[in-house]
Amino acid sequence: MNRSVTTSQVGQETVQTALKDWKFKACRESEWLQAVVPGCVHTDLRRNGIIEDPFYATNEHDLQWIDKLDWEYETVFDLTEDLLAMSVLELVFDGLDTYADVTFNGKLILSVNNMFRSWRADVKGLAKPSGNQLHIRFRSPVTEDLPKIERLGYNLPASNDQSELGGLGEDKISVFARKAPYHYGWDWGPRFVTSGIWREVRVVGWNDVRVNDVFVNQEQISAEAAKLTVEVELESVRGAEGSVKITAGGSEWSLAVNLQPGVTVVKVPVEIAEPKLWWSRGLGEAHLYHFRATFTEAGSAKPIAEKAVRTGLRSVRLVREKDEAGGTFYFELNGVPVFAKGANHIPNDSFLTEITEERYRHEIASAAESNMNMLRIWGGGIYEQPAFYELCDEYGIMVWQDFMFACSMYPWDEPFLESVKLEARENVKKLRNHPSIVLWCGNNEIDSAWAEYDETGGWGWKKNYTSEQRANIWAGYESIFHRILPEAVNELAPGSDYWPSSPMIDLTGDIGQHAHPLSTEGDIHYWGVWHSVEPFENYNVKVGRFMSEYGFQSFPEYDSVRTFAEEVDMELESKVMLAHQKNGNGNRLIKEYMDIYMNEPKDFPSFLYMSQVLQAEAMKTAIEAHRKRMPYCMGTLYWQMNDCWPVASWAGMDYYGKWKALQYYAKTSFANTILSFDRSEGGELRVYAISDSLTPAEGELRLTLHAFDGEILAQETLEATVGANTSTLVYAADEAKWLDGRDAGSIVLVAELVQGDVTISRKEHYFAYAKGLKLGSAAVVVTEVEGSGGTRFLVSSNVLAKQVWLRAEREGRFSDNFFDVVPGKPIEVEFQHRAPGQAFGVPAAAGLVTATSMIDYLA
């Protein structure tokens, strides 16, 4: 029995969160086992030794029985007399996954059906000082939702639902549950259909008045003034007269109010002169204001209720305007057009309660250090924990927020639509103060997959249904994405932009158009490279106005692979490697592309390294192709930032947070100012200077042609003007000028943009694919910089060393990695240590540092 009672005062509420002594069992079983809350059935089974590591080998396949059972959770706890004496006493559940019946002291108090909502129950008349029993029965999502298919009479499209693995054949049940879609499997993630208490449970008591919510409605923001309305939602158990006071930035504003029993919304006008604005990373400080709302009853000097929120003051809009090329699609922040640089984010774990704040910080810090300014929260995961958004606010990372719908068509019965409505309203209300959120998007890829107005378009879904079924399915789609969700955004986050689906075209009102890789409006998901085996060069051709998805796979590094596989499994087509490749043709595609662009690796560990280099080169081509097309293209978000388990995938960081080659390449290609090479079909070699800076700059462009042994074969220097917030062509010449009869596989052209004594950007251009380069055996030397305490190193080589991979004795990352070293041009790097599960810290001694290059991995 839980006799340890911990209470705290949060504003006007007394909160008890000491509901820790939980136990769980499968229904119809007699033995109770210890549970950890927040948690889920899978993690509790693992902690009790009932199941093995779900991520190891092919264990996923053997654990599909778990979602077929009902599960019970129970705790017994005491309550303090002070808490029991409160006027209002509630049990609050921040997240129950997903179908559950909750009883308290023997009485049913809740039946829940939505993972994405919080739930409250009045227990004032049921609670007692000791021995309070809280019991939750989680009904199997499988047995709950299978009958819904039978009632409907047919399956709805759900392309990534791994129903066969789950033993359900063709029955796609994921669409019926308001539950994280990726739990049912995806083309990068396993199928673990969890149940459990996935967010905090607490007892809350309060008297008189409480402040439920504070919303800072940013009506007009400029450098001169911020005109706001602070909306304060108060709840009162009795009538009360008094005043609401708002404090922020050393100023205060107040308004007299007369509260009636129930909920009252008070709107306080607020104006801040010369506000400090919130800027995205790279454009300025991500300044944050703290707003506090208090209610003081007439005749009293002390507030009886209060709540504080944090936000940044900024104006932001999605600019979609007709132009000569089609229609724009970009974000304007504080009046400045911003080129969005970043990636798509998925949940950091298949088991959500395993995600710590440190893991969030590691991801957001990695995004910032990779020169990103935007992450897209993809619609097949979850509305993330508060820490994620708070970190994005602090680091200046803009957030494209999908609602939780992806790659499926959904039911349209009234109970389902009502559940979606309540979910949307709660989450918009919960998240609307975060300055980082710049767009609400209805779903991922559904509009383009169904393609209602293009009979031959989409993913072929429509052909499986009768005309009546199609009409019903599409009407249901419109109910959710063109009515319920935009209404929630417009009402609860006024001024925020809503985009129904990604990708989509919706500018001119021509409903006959759908997004495709050459669309000149809307946002684009381009997957010709990868799924259709198109060449990397097509990234330079298929460029839209905003590239919100594209990607290329690789494996994690050897040490990460060994966490789920043994040496005997180290083969591309082994059962374990195929189990950790959720995109059916993924391993074959990596090999196929490697055969096109690279030489054969000597063994499987070498294949892992080469796959990362291949992925990095693909994404570099794409990112820089998009940036070169500024301002036509104004956003590039690759798929994907992170992983939810150790797997071969499109991620730039693996499940353990280790940076792949892609992450280092992204850091370089996303830098504020870069040089980028381009080659036309006619053989013209071009150099672009791309800058996100709001002021132009003058510099010197230095071009040096090297033989692989370091000999300088030719040089050219010229003045270069770098345009502000755009891409500028700074050099063009016939490639033959530099080749001049030389062997294309034995030379490299190095471009450097220099301002004073500082090299702003450096890029190499090779005249042949990697497989055509005549690489020699490289002696890469790593020398500690004197006085650095083992934190900084110079890397040099006697001949050209391609994709030098540095590894340290301690866990962490280098400031650069997987780079090319030209003889006579050493590269300096710095090391940061990272303890397991932690975000990066300050520079620290690396210990022994080793270096290898591509030549070491070739057959």
Side-chain angles (χ1 to χ4, degrees):
M1 183 177 292
N2 185 356
R3 297 295 184 185
S4 174
V5 177
T6 302
T7 62
S8 60
Q9 199 70 27
V10 181
Q12 68 288 345
E13 296 180 337
T14 299
V15 180
Q16 180 173 317
T17 55
L19 311 185
K20 301 298 183 185
D21 293 341
W22 287 89
K23 54 188 179 181
F24 85 110
K25 66 171 184 164
C27 291
R28 299 186 300 278
E29 294 290 328
S30 59
E31 182 184 3
W32 288 95
L33 301 171
Q34 185 178 2
V36 173
V37 172
C40 75
V41 172
H42 290 73
T43 53
D44 285 330
L45 289 170
R46 176 78 173 109
R47 289 188 183 97
N48 282 277
I50 307 300
I51 64 173
E52 299 296 324
D53 178 2
F55 295 160
Y56 181 74
T58 61
N59 285 351
E60 173 201 1
H61 301 172
D62 301 324
L63 300 179
Q64 297 304 311
W65 57 270
I66 297 172
D67 60 40
K68 313 299 188 297
L69 301 180
D70 294 350
W71 297 89
E72 297 178 76
Y73 279 73
E74 187 172 279
T75 186
V76 179
F77 59 93
D78 300 341
L79 291 172
T80 65
E81 291 296 339
D82 288 345
L83 197 55
L84 285 166
M86 296 285 176
S87 299
V88 179
L89 192 65
E90 297 174 314
L91 264 169
V92 179
F93 304 86
D94 287 340
L96 296 173
D97 176 15
T98 292
Y99 298 110
D101 297 313
V102 183
T103 58
F104 181 65
N105 289 337
K107 182 177 179 180
L108 179 68
I109 58 172
L110 286 171
S111 286
V112 309
N113 61 358
N114 190 319
M115 174 182 177
F116 302 126
R117 290 182 55 198
S118 61
W119 304 85
R120 290 176 176 265
D122 178 6
V123 294
K124 176 65 177 174
L126 296 173
K128 52 189 180 181
S130 62
N132 292 284
Q133 184 183 51
L134 177 58
H135 181 274
I136 306 175
R137 180 184 177 118
F138 289 96
R139 305 190 302 278
S140 160
V142 174
T143 58
E144 184 80 13
D145 287 334
L146 271 175
K148 296 175 184 176
I149 297 177
E150 186 175 347
R151 288 197 293 270
L152 183 61
Y154 49 87
N155 269 291
L156 292 171
S159 298
N160 286 281
D161 185 324
Q162 296 173 19
S163 55
E164 278 197 29
L165 177 60
L168 305 181
E170 295 299 316
D171 287 338
K172 311 288 188 179
I173 61 171
S174 58
V175 298
F176 296 101
R178 290 313 299 143
K179 174 175 173 58
Y182 84 108
H183 282 170
Y184 296 83
W186 218 264
D187 59 1
W188 37 258
R191 185 185 187 277
F192 291 120
V193 183
T194 58
S195 290
I197 306 167
W198 77 288
R199 283 180 169 168
E200 186 180 82
V201 180
R202 60 192 181 277
V203 180
V204 175
W206 58 280
N207 290 319
D208 301 325
V209 179
R210 70 174 171 185
V211 181
N212 288 335
D213 185 64
V214 178
F215 170 44
V216 182
N217 187 358
Q218 303 188 30
E219 296 172 334
Q220 189 175 337
I221 307 294
S222 68
E224 292 71 38
K227 295 182 180 179
L228 320 167
T229 296
V230 179
E231 300 179 11
V232 184
E233 181 185 296
L234 301 109
E235 187 174 2
S236 180
V237 297
R238 58 175 173 80
E241 292 185 2
S243 63
V244 170
K245 182 170 71 175
I246 307 297
T247 58
S251 299
E252 64 179 54
W253 304 262
S254 62
L255 191 68
V257 296
N258 185 1
L259 301 181
Q260 300 300 315
V263 174
T264 302
V265 177
V266 177
K267 298 183 178 183
V268 183
V270 167
E271 185 166 342
I272 300 175
E274 298 181 343
K276 294 181 179 179
L277 301 182
W278 184 90
W279 289 95
S280 60
R281 195 217 59 80
L283 290 181
E285 180 190 1
H287 184 82
L288 297 168
Y289 280 86
H290 294 262
F291 286 80
R292 182 175 297 276
T294 59
F295 173 77
T296 304
E297 198 162 8
S300 174
K302 185 178 179 182
I304 64 170
E306 64 180 35
K307 188 177 183 68
V309 298
R310 186 181 72 167
T311 192
L313 302 181
R314 85 288 186 268
S315 66
V316 62
R317 68 185 183 111
L318 175 62
V319 182
R320 295 188 296 116
E321 297 174 346
K322 195 71 177 173
D323 64 8
E324 292 180 357
T328 64
F329 191 106
Y330 67 88
F331 294 92
E332 182 185 84
L333 181 64
N334 301 323
V336 173
V338 179
F339 188 97
K341 304 179 295 186
N344 288 261
H345 159 91
I346 66 170
N348 275 304
D349 209 291
S350 291
F351 307 116
L352 291 163
T353 51
E354 299 300 292
I355 305 171
T356 62
E357 185 169 343
E358 288 76 18
R359 288 176 68 179
Y360 277 130
R361 185 173 293 278
H362 173 66
E363 180 190 0
I364 305 306
S366 292
E369 292 184 33
S370 300
N371 297 305
M372 295 179 177
N373 61 16
M374 179 176 279
L375 290 172
R376 173 185 174 229
I377 298 182
W378 164 80
I382 62 168
Y383 307 95
E384 284 291 351
Q385 297 279 24
F388 181 95
Y389 302 97
E390 291 164 2
L391 288 164
C392 288
D393 293 343
E394 294 168 13
Y395 279 89
I397 303 295
M398 296 181 290
V399 173
W400 169 317
Q401 176 70 58
D402 281 7
F403 287 93
M404 293 303 114
F405 301 88
C407 302
S408 306
M409 300 303 283
Y410 289 86
W412 54 90
D413 57 279
E414 281 307 315
F416 184 85
L417 296 181
E418 180 64 17
S419 182
V420 168
K421 177 181 177 180
L422 294 172
E423 167 195 325
R425 292 180 64 83
E426 176 175 335
N427 283 284
V428 171
K429 193 172 181 179
K430 185 187 300 181
L431 299 175
R432 60 187 175 177
N433 279 317
H434 290 288
S436 53
I437 297 180
V438 297
L439 183 67
W440 294 90
C441 180
N443 68 71
N444 176 73
E445 295 187 341
I446 305 178
D447 182 88
S448 57
W450 183 261
E452 171 68 11
Y453 303 104
D454 182 356
E455 195 58 34
T456 61
W459 297 357
W461 287 351
K462 296 192 299 291
K463 64 180 173 56
N464 297 320
Y465 301 95
T466 67
S467 57
E468 181 182 358
Q469 290 169 346
R470 284 175 52 171
N472 288 334
I473 293 170
W474 183 247
Y477 176 92
E478 289 192 310
S479 294
I480 296 173
F481 303 109
H482 292 280
R483 179 175 59 84
I484 292 173
L485 300 185
E487 284 177 359
V489 173
N490 293 337
E491 179 185 344
L492 298 171
S496 298
D497 282 298
Y498 172 80
W499 188 238
S501 182
S502 177
M504 188 175 174
I505 298 172
D506 182 25
L507 178 68
T508 63
D510 182 356
I511 58 175
Q513 292 191 55
H514 288 278
H516 58 81
L518 293 176
S519 293
T520 59
E521 302 171 3
D523 70 310
I524 303 301
H525 294 189
Y526 170 51
W527 285 101
V529 175
W530 185 253
H531 289 301
S532 298
V533 204
E534 294 180 18
F536 291 174
E537 290 79 0
N538 276 14
Y539 280 129
N540 292 302
V541 177
K542 298 184 178 181
V543 180
R545 309 309 295 266
F546 194 105
M547 306 300 291
S548 48
E549 258 197 45
Y550 57 93
F552 195 92
Q553 276 201 3
S554 73
F555 277 81
E557 64 180 71
Y558 176 81
D559 289 346
S560 294
V561 172
R562 285 290 277 113
T563 66
F564 66 80
E566 301 299 329
E567 283 294 341
V568 70
D569 303 314
M570 294 293 175
E571 195 273 318
L572 198 58
E573 297 298 314
S574 74
K575 187 179 294 186
V576 171
M577 288 305 147
L578 292 176
H580 286 254
Q581 168 58 269
K582 289 294 186 174
N583 181 228
N585 293 321
N587 291 356
R588 178 188 61 77
L589 285 170
I590 295 173
K591 179 68 167 61
E592 187 170 347
Y593 272 104
M594 196 176 293
D595 289 343
I596 295 171
Y597 292 102
M598 311 186 85
N599 288 303
E600 183 181 354
K602 65 183 181 182
D603 52 26
F604 191 72
S606 299
F607 181 88
L608 302 179
Y609 161 89
M610 296 284 276
S611 78
Q612 289 201 20
V613 170
L614 183 70
Q615 177 193 38
E617 289 288 344
M619 293 298 91
K620 171 191 171 184
T621 302
I623 291 168
E624 296 188 12
H626 304 156
R627 293 192 72 188
K628 280 193 287 256
R629 293 290 298 276
M630 289 176 70
Y632 175 84
C633 177
M634 285 297 285
T636 179
L637 308 177
Y638 65 78
W639 185 272
Q640 65 210 60
M641 182 71 185
N642 56 322
D643 271 327
C644 69
W645 73 316
V647 66
S649 81
W650 296 273
M653 297 192 309
D654 73 17
Y655 172 71
Y656 302 102
K658 296 179 180 180
W659 283 29
K660 295 183 182 179
L662 163 56
Q663 202 66 39
Y664 288 101
Y665 270 50
K667 178 182 179 182
T668 299
S669 292
F670 281 148
N672 187 66
T673 301
I674 66 167
L675 293 175
S676 182
F677 280 97
D678 190 20
R679 182 186 182 279
S680 73
E681 288 187 7
E684 184 180 56
L685 190 63
R686 298 177 289 232
V687 180
Y688 290 83
I690 307 161
S691 176
D692 295 326
S693 174
L694 302 184
T695 56
E698 299 296 325
E700 191 174 77
L701 178 66
R702 298 176 184 172
L703 297 163
T704 308
L705 187 69
H706 294 266
F708 284 0
D709 64 3
E711 180 187 358
I712 296 176
L713 304 173
Q715 287 182 299
E716 187 172 345
T717 300
L718 61 154
E719 297 300 313
T721 299
V722 182
N725 202 19
T726 194
S727 170
T728 307
L729 179 66
V730 293
Y731 179 82
D734 195 320
E735 187 179 56
K737 168 187 174 181
W738 292 97
L739 283 169
D740 195 25
R742 302 179 180 97
D743 181 1
S746 300
I747 56 176
V748 56
L749 180 61
V750 178
E752 295 173 297
L753 180 63
V754 180
Q755 292 178 341
D757 296 328
V758 178
T759 299
I760 304 300
S761 178
R762 170 184 144 172
K763 283 289 171 67
E764 297 87 13
H765 172 73
Y766 294 91
F767 297 85
Y769 291 157
K771 73 182 301 179
L773 300 181
K774 296 180 172 59
L775 300 176
S777 180
V780 181
V781 178
V782 181
T783 307
E784 182 180 328
V785 174
E786 188 175 350
S788 72
T791 65
R792 288 188 289 125
F793 303 88
L794 281 177
V795 184
S796 59
S797 180
N798 62 327
V799 298
L800 175 78
K802 284 281 295 170
Q803 276 95 17
V804 172
W805 182 22
L806 299 177
R807 281 168 288 179
E809 184 178 13
R810 302 184 74 189
E811 180 68 30
R813 68 153 182 82
F814 291 92
S815 57
D816 197 6
N817 215 336
F818 293 93
F819 48 77
D820 296 354
V821 180
V822 176
K825 287 186 170 292
I827 292 177
E828 183 172 332
V829 297
E830 183 179 70
F831 179 79
Q832 284 191 355
H833 171 60
R834 180 194 177 209
Q838 302 295 309
F840 288 124
V842 295
L848 178 66
V849 177
T850 58
T852 52
S853 65
M854 181 179 285
I855 193 69
D856 300 309
Y857 297 95
L858 300 182

